[in-house]
Amino acid sequence: MDNAAIQRFLERCDLDIRKTHNGRTIDQKCTMDVMCLVADCILEYAGSRTDGTFTVKDIWYNDYTVENVQQIFCKPDPARKASNEYDKYFGQPIKLLDAAGIIHGERDGRAYRYAIANRELLEYISFRERNSYSFLCIYIEKVLKDSGIYEVFKSFFEKQDKNSFRELKEAYTNFMIKYTPINGATECGRIFTKVLNPLACKYRKRGTQRGHLSKDVITQDMLLYNQKNWRDILKEKPKDVTRREHENGLQMPDDYMTAYRINRAKKNLRRFNEQYRQGRTELYDRRHIMDPATQMHHIFPAHEYPAIADYLENLIALTPTQHFSYAHPNNNTQYIDRNYQYLCLVAKAGTIRENLRGAGGEPVIYEFSSFQTVLNTGLGTEAFSAVSDMDFEGLLNRLEEYYK
């Protein structure tokens, strides 16, 4: 799914806050990483239900959700803590998805029961944080334009000074207090950050930090909910422990997030391959044409190339024999057969080309630029960046040079 498809879908919605009076079209917890995880948790839960419906509590008490949210975002066990923490964490993204028409909610007693309205877009958001970020930028702009307040944001992006920032923040606060039940400037300020900064990042502009104009351009890492201030953590170092020992003893959440992203990517590729490719291997081999492709193989090993370990473009669906006998000879997963690696890359290029060209009527899940990143990273070069967009012939010609 590309940005144009997202825009066409959202065009069907009237997101004018002056009409809906919905002050929660976006909220504090609606960051790119949280939106991605919540979408994934919804799909995981709804896929196991015959009616496909769910409530907010259904999602947060699901075993898959509890395991990942507790580990990744350092949240408490929902069975032991007050529900307010989880109600916001899941409720706010779910309300956003409902407002956007991706899911649809109906009141069921005191709670709302939801159903998926656009599975393709929900899956797109769940695949990777960058997809979630792209959706959020399009959605936020749609809300602002429908609500007649976009021009003041545009003016700020052009001027980028303290006066234009103050005018923007005041205009947004007054607008929200006038047209929504939110009546406090502090609450408006918290939401304002989640509205402004994704767009500032998109246009490579300054945004807001700690309630003021940011000193630097907003970058994607600044948009994440799961940010850790390691300087503050290091201040808690016991006096009888060296800084290095304390740092080594810290279990960084990145370990959990990396594992989750890798497992999510493998799960998504397996589901996609079963749904749209009849579970076949991506690397055609007459000897194994009837064998199911149950193995999601890293073309460039995850332990050697963690930066691309969760890229769909670095994963290929293989049969068990292809995986353990050819890709990893003698079932030695620490070793990659270089010749077979080349065959996997050529086959993956073919899969990506078919997907991006819409040959099979399947949803688009790959990016040409991401495949370039995989090749550059795995082969230690920047040569593939020079290949023109969608020039698969040029890409394969360059790839051949590295495997002569």
Side-chain angles (χ1 to χ4, degrees), residues 175-244:
F175 176 87
M176 293 294 285
I177 291 175
K178 180 177 181 180
Y179 291 108
T180 77
I182 300 173
N183 55 19
T186 301
E187 183 71 4
C188 291
R190 295 192 184 106
I191 300 173
F192 173 69
T193 300
K194 308 306 180 186
V195 173
L196 175 60
N197 281 356
L199 298 184
C201 179
K202 176 182 178 180
Y203 295 113
R204 296 179 176 84
K205 300 291 184 178
R206 296 162 72 188
T208 179
Q209 278 186 302
R210 301 183 184 275
H212 303 285
L213 176 65
S214 65
K215 295 181 179 179
D216 303 306
V217 168
I218 300 296
T219 54
Q220 281 196 17
D221 62 294
M222 299 166 68
L223 304 178
L224 300 175
Y225 176 85
N226 196 33
Q227 295 185 63
K228 284 287 184 182
N229 188 338
W230 295 108
R231 290 189 179 89
D232 291 344
I233 292 176
L234 290 173
K235 288 178 183 177
E236 300 172 5
K237 178 183 71 66
K239 292 182 179 180
D240 59 342
V241 177
T242 68
R243 174 177 291 271
R244 181 175 296 277

Side-chain angles (χ1 to χ4, degrees), residues 36 47 50 54 76 81 202 296 318 332 340 344 347 376 383 398:
C36 183
T50 54
F54 60 91
K81 296 289 182 177
K202 176 182 178 180
M296 303 302 115
L318 300 177
N332 183 353
Y340 206 75
C344 286
N376 280 333
R398 189 151 296 190

Side-chain angles (χ1 to χ4, degrees), residues 181-404:
I182 300 173
N183 55 19
T186 301
E187 183 71 4
C188 291
R190 295 192 184 106
I191 300 173
F192 173 69
T193 300
K194 308 306 180 186
V195 173
L196 175 60
N197 281 356
L199 298 184
C201 179
K202 176 182 178 180
Y203 295 113
R204 296 179 176 84
K205 300 291 184 178
R206 296 162 72 188
T208 179
Q209 278 186 302
R210 301 183 184 275
H212 303 285
L213 176 65
S214 65
K215 295 181 179 179
D216 303 306
V217 168
I218 300 296
T219 54
Q220 281 196 17
D221 62 294
M222 299 166 68
L223 304 178
L224 300 175
Y225 176 85
N226 196 33
Q227 295 185 63
K228 284 287 184 182
N229 188 338
W230 295 108
R231 290 189 179 89
D232 291 344
I233 292 176
L234 290 173
K235 288 178 183 177
E236 300 172 5
K237 178 183 71 66
K239 292 182 179 180
D240 59 342
V241 177
T242 68
R243 174 177 291 271
R244 181 175 296 277
E245 289 173 338
H246 185 52
E247 288 177 354
N248 291 339
L250 292 173
Q251 190 168 24
M252 303 298 185
D254 287 351
D255 294 339
Y256 293 132
M257 178 59 88
T258 298
Y260 164 71
R261 285 172 172 166
I262 292 172
N263 291 332
R264 181 185 66 197
K266 287 184 174 181
K267 178 188 68 175
N268 286 333
L269 180 59
R270 181 179 292 107
R271 181 175 61 195
F272 177 86
N273 197 54
E274 291 174 352
Q275 185 172 355
Y276 296 102
R277 304 187 75 256
Q278 295 76 53
R280 300 190 309 268
T281 176
E282 291 184 67
L283 204 171
Y284 176 77
D285 188 331
R286 286 185 299 174
R287 296 169 295 177
H288 308 289
I289 191 63
M290 300 303 295
D291 298 339
T294 60
Q295 305 297 305
M296 303 302 115
H297 167 65
H298 278 101
I299 305 175
F300 295 106
H303 65 278
E304 292 185 33
Y305 304 95
I308 54 173
D310 63 332
Y311 277 53
L312 291 171
E313 295 80 4
N314 187 36
L315 288 170
I316 186 168
L318 300 177
T319 71
T321 300
Q322 288 177 317
H323 188 213
F324 295 117
S325 296
Y326 307 150
H328 300 294
N330 299 318
N331 199 18
N332 183 353
T333 56
Q334 298 301 307
Y335 176 72
I336 292 285
D337 184 278
R338 182 172 170 81
N339 292 329
Y340 206 75
Q341 184 181 62
Y342 171 69
L343 295 178
C344 286
L345 288 170
V346 172
K348 195 67 193 184
T351 300
I352 294 171
R353 179 177 55 195
E354 290 179 7
N355 182 250
L356 293 178
R357 291 180 176 176
E362 61 198 26
V364 174
I365 65 170
Y366 297 111
E367 297 175 350
F368 187 83
S369 60
S370 292
F371 193 41
Q372 289 173 299
T373 299
V374 166
L375 293 172
N376 280 333
T377 304
L379 297 173
T381 180
E382 288 297 324
F384 292 95
S385 299
V387 178
S388 300
D389 186 41
M390 294 297 288
D391 181 9
F392 283 93
E393 183 178 354
L395 185 145
L396 289 174
N397 288 338
R398 189 151 296 190
L399 181 63
E400 188 177 5
E401 297 174 6
Y402 284 83
Y403 285 88
K404 286 181 178 179

Side-chain angles (χ1 to χ4, degrees), residues 158-172:
E158 292 171 351
K159 296 177 181 177
Q160 290 281 277
D161 55 29
K162 290 183 179 180
N163 285 335
S164 62
F165 176 80
R166 177 180 52 79
E167 292 170 0
L168 171 61
K169 191 172 183 179
E170 288 180 358
Y172 180 81

